[in-house]
Amino acid sequence: MGTPAAVGQHLLGPHVVGRRVVVRRVLRGETGPSGGPALTDQLGTCLAWTGGPGGSCLLQPDDPAAAPVRIALADIVSGKPVPPRPSHRLRVDPREAQLRALALWPDLVTEPVGDWVLRRSPTSTARRANSVLAFGPAGVDPVDRAHDQVVGFYAATTGRPVAAVPTDGAEEASFRARGWVAESGDADTVFSVAGVAAARRALRGAGATGDEVELVEQAPGVVRAQLPGATGVAAYDRDWVGFRGIEVDPERRRQGLGLRVMAALLGWGAEQGATTAYLQVLADNEPAVALYDRLGFVEHHRYRYLALDLSTRA
């Protein structure tokens, strides 16, 4: 028979209440592979700690749908605090985040090429609305057929094939191998996310004085915020609210107008039921990056634009 597990040698206690921990415990009445007591590991947040004889640790597993587990202190073999679980919004993969952002252009025309998405807007010249979203493999065999479809689509519509690809990923290598180059001298684009509630707290007080921000519906789920000297657009989709075109007239900058527009759009998003906010900014736009950092936005992923010069093709 195996050696009994030593109980009580751990780094847990009342100080871990509210923190994420891993707990190894004995399963009473069960036998492990070595013939000794069976053990199991439990990962979650400590909700309560009761010391003394008969004491226990109440643990909420990482799965929010799971019921809390009460673990007798006498059954704990080892345990320690661990880093917090990454935010659920950061666990959304980049392609899914990009697909949600399509809501920002209500008139967008899209067409699949395998798992890539051709995008074209009849009213906007923005690259995000007029480029192929190539996040992940195309899933088309052979892949040259997918590339030919991309070139053909934009040659016939915008006249300039542009691709949005994850920074330094396999997709970028695939396009560059076929003659695509950096679309411009711009830095990478940073897709950032934040909790709506946290961002609104950071903006508390913005918009308390001055002209009222007017919200005008552009399409179902899309609004434009208008203020003398500033404007911006927000779109809601599946509990995410995104922003684009937050602009302030040059002569009206440093007066808090951009913050007031953001506050109004975040408030609108919260009313729709949004819990996650997102926006996209060039990595070298240091003032904007610093502002969004203060509002709680964190980097989700980066991507860049590539273009193909049709004049060089035979």
Side-chain angles (χ1 to χ4, degrees):
M1 180 176 292
T3 304
V7 175
Q9 305 300 311
H10 56 75
L11 301 176
L12 305 175
H15 64 283
V16 301
V17 173
R19 299 177 63 183
R20 188 168 182 247
V21 297
V22 61
V23 179
R24 172 160 290 190
R25 62 188 177 101
V26 174
L27 293 176
R28 297 294 177 181
E30 299 185 25
T31 301
S34 65
L39 305 175
T40 188
D41 292 326
Q42 190 80 54
L43 191 63
T45 301
C46 179
L47 301 179
W49 184 277
T50 305
S56 64
C57 170
L58 183 63
L59 198 72
Q60 172 59 57
D62 278 349
D63 180 0
V69 177
R70 187 171 296 279
I71 304 171
L73 299 188
D75 291 342
I76 297 178
V77 174
S78 62
K80 63 180 180 180
V82 296
R85 191 181 189 195
S87 164
H88 67 88
R89 55 184 61 93
L90 292 178
R91 296 197 297 272
V92 172
D93 70 67
R95 182 177 185 276
E96 171 61 21
Q98 289 285 339
L99 290 175
R100 294 190 183 211
L102 298 183
L104 285 164
W105 283 272
D107 65 351
L108 202 64
V109 177
T110 63
E111 181 179 324
V113 176
D115 288 332
W116 293 349
V117 181
L118 300 169
R119 305 176 290 184
R120 183 178 66 84
S121 169
T123 60
S124 173
T125 60
R127 292 176 296 182
R128 278 183 279 160
N130 294 280
S131 61
V132 61
L133 180 64
F135 275 53
V140 174
D141 187 26
V143 70
D144 281 342
R145 183 158 62 89
H147 282 273
D148 289 344
Q149 285 184 253
V150 170
V151 174
F153 178 84
Y154 290 107
T157 53
T158 65
R160 188 181 187 222
V162 176
V165 297
T167 299
D168 297 329
E171 297 79 17
E172 178 175 359
S174 178
F175 278 87
R176 286 189 180 274
R178 291 166 173 81
W180 293 62
V181 297
E183 185 268 343
S184 70
D186 287 345
D188 290 343
T189 300
V190 180
F191 190 111
S192 297
V193 296
V196 168
R200 294 188 73 195
R201 285 196 297 271
L203 281 168
R204 190 169 292 156
T209 60
D211 295 324
E212 183 177 353
V213 179
E214 180 184 9
L215 296 179
V216 179
E217 185 179 62
Q218 303 288 288
V222 182
V223 297
R224 177 178 294 277
Q226 299 178 167
L227 185 68
T231 187
V233 174
Y236 170 80
D237 179 50
R238 289 173 289 172
D239 90 356
W240 282 35
V241 61
F243 311 100
R244 70 172 176 86
I246 307 297
E247 299 175 354
V248 179
D249 293 345
E251 65 275 12
R252 299 293 303 276
R253 289 173 183 168
R254 300 185 183 279
Q255 298 178 24
L257 300 185
L259 294 179
R260 294 179 59 197
V261 167
M262 281 289 295
L265 293 175
L266 275 165
W268 172 84
E271 291 174 358
Q272 311 311 304
T275 58
T276 296
Y278 67 88
L279 49 81
Q280 302 174 67
V281 63
L282 292 177
D284 59 357
N285 187 346
E286 295 180 1
V289 171
L291 168 63
Y292 297 138
D293 282 348
R294 292 197 298 273
L295 299 185
F297 284 87
V298 297
E299 182 175 322
H300 185 278
H301 65 273
R302 294 189 178 207
Y303 64 97
R304 58 179 54 136
Y305 292 99
L306 304 178
L308 184 66
D309 185 353
L310 294 176
S311 67
T312 64
R313 293 171 63 89

